[in-house]
Amino acid sequence: MGRLTTHVLDTSSGKPAAGLKIELWSIVAKPELVKTATTNGDGRVDGAILEGDSFKAGTYELRFHAGAYLRSSGAKFDEPAFLDVIPIRFGISNPSQHYHVPLLLSPYGYSTYRGS
C-alpha cells in the first residue's frame, strides 16, 4: 500500500531540520488541511504523513514552515526572511506507490525531488 513521507535537511548547518512544522493540504476546489506534523531529531515525521484509506490520487501541497524553524535554529538572515513558508505542490497519480518528498533547506534557497 502507498504512503507519503518527507525528510528535511538543513544544508546551512549540515544537520537534519528538527522541530520544523509541516502542513499537508489537499488541493481541491478549496484547499483543505489534512494533517499537521513536526519533524523529529532526524528531520523526519514519525510515520507516514499520509497512508491507508486516506492516501488517494490527487493534488497535494506540503507547506514547510522554514522561517520559524530557521529563526529557532539561530540562523542569521535579514528580516523579513527570504523564505518563510515553502509550499511544494505535487500530484499523486498511483496510490499504491511510495511518494517521498524531501526538502533540502537553507535561509536563501531550497531543493526538492521525488525520492524513494
Side-chain angles (χ1 to χ4, degrees), residues 91-103:
I92 292 174
S93 59
N94 186 341
S96 68
Q97 295 181 350
H98 178 193
Y99 286 74
H100 183 69
V101 182
L103 181 71

Side-chain angles (χ1 to χ4, degrees), residues 35-97:
K35 184 173 185 176
T36 300
T38 303
T39 55
N40 61 23
D42 194 33
R44 299 176 187 273
V45 172
D46 293 327
I49 297 175
L50 194 62
E51 64 185 336
D53 293 338
S54 300
F55 191 69
K56 298 177 181 163
T59 302
Y60 295 87
E61 188 172 278
L62 284 167
R63 296 180 186 174
F64 296 88
H65 290 257
Y69 160 77
L70 291 164
R71 283 182 196 89
S72 71
S73 72
K76 304 292 184 217
F77 52 88
D78 295 331
E79 289 289 350
F82 179 68
L83 296 174
D84 190 16
V85 177
I86 299 171
I88 298 176
R89 190 170 288 190
F90 59 96
I92 292 174
S93 59
N94 186 341
S96 68
Q97 295 181 350

Side-chain angles (χ1 to χ4, degrees), residues 8-18 69:
V8 185
L9 297 174
D10 181 341
T11 58
S12 63
S13 70
K15 297 178 182 176
Y69 160 77

